[in-house]
Amino acid sequence: MSLFMERALKEAKLAAKRGEVPVGAVLVKNGKIIFADGNRTLELKDPTAHAEILVIRQAAQILENERLTDCDLYVTLEPCPMCAAAISFARIKRLYFGASDVKSGGVENGVNFYNNKTCHHAPEVYSGLSDVEAGKLLSDFFKQKRSE
């Protein structure tokens, strides 16, 4: 397992402890973690506070550039269409994600954003990293929520 995906999974677990959907993201440049976070939609009362968006926003501030070229993003779940668009707009070089999201994904499922002719930048996409562990985190979380 990649060190960066391990960190994304850690962020997802922390999100779950906060009662958030357990998704974690890590932005990396030149082999160094720039920023990592998990979902915070409930905490911030912000429907756009997905892990990917939070990490992109903070990394742009840290790197003082809205273009995150030569950066890689590791996410535990396939990004939704909103996050896929943000990844494109930030010009992120490579996207690595864990579990596929057949219902709400925007990369390999759903709108398949990067194959759309209106997409100006498509990152290299690598899916299935730690997908079993990432998927189990999500299924356990929702199983617990249904039993509450």
Side-chain angles (χ1 to χ4, degrees):
M1 177 189 315
S2 150
L3 171 71
F4 304 126
M5 188 55 81
E6 260 184 61
R7 176 66 185 273
L9 286 163
K10 178 182 175 189
E11 295 296 334
K13 290 172 187 172
L14 291 170
K17 285 182 182 177
R18 294 190 300 271
E20 303 276 0
V21 174
V23 177
V26 177
L27 192 117
V28 176
K29 183 170 185 169
N30 298 325
K32 179 183 172 207
I33 293 175
I34 303 301
F35 198 73
D37 209 345
N39 277 355
R40 293 182 184 274
T41 60
L42 299 173
E43 175 186 338
L44 299 176
K45 302 200 182 2
D46 178 355
T48 69
H50 291 195
E52 301 94 308
I53 299 293
L54 296 172
V55 166
I56 289 169
R57 285 178 183 159
Q58 195 61 38
Q61 293 299 307
I62 291 167
L63 298 173
E64 298 181 336
N65 197 330
E66 78 281 7
R67 299 284 189 242
L68 301 175
T69 55
D70 296 323
C71 290
D72 298 332
L73 183 64
Y74 291 78
V75 188
T76 58
L77 180 66
E78 176 182 355
C80 72
M82 173 185 69
C83 293
I87 291 163
S88 175
F89 295 153
R91 305 298 195 264
I92 289 171
K93 188 172 188 171
R94 286 178 288 266
L95 167 65
Y96 299 87
F97 71 84
S100 289
D101 189 346
V102 177
K103 194 172 178 184
S104 302
V107 177
E108 292 181 345
N109 292 286
V111 298
N112 205 333
F113 187 82
Y114 303 130
N115 288 328
N116 191 310
K117 64 182 174 183
T118 60
C119 176
H120 296 292
H121 168 77
E124 296 171 31
V125 176
Y126 303 92
S127 59
L129 274 73
S130 304
D131 58 339
V132 173
E133 186 173 355
K136 184 169 175 15
L137 262 175
L138 287 156
S139 62
D140 289 352
F141 176 82
F142 286 113
K143 205 178 292 179
Q144 179 190 345
K145 285 288 181 193
R146 284 189 294 272
S147 69
E148 290 177 354

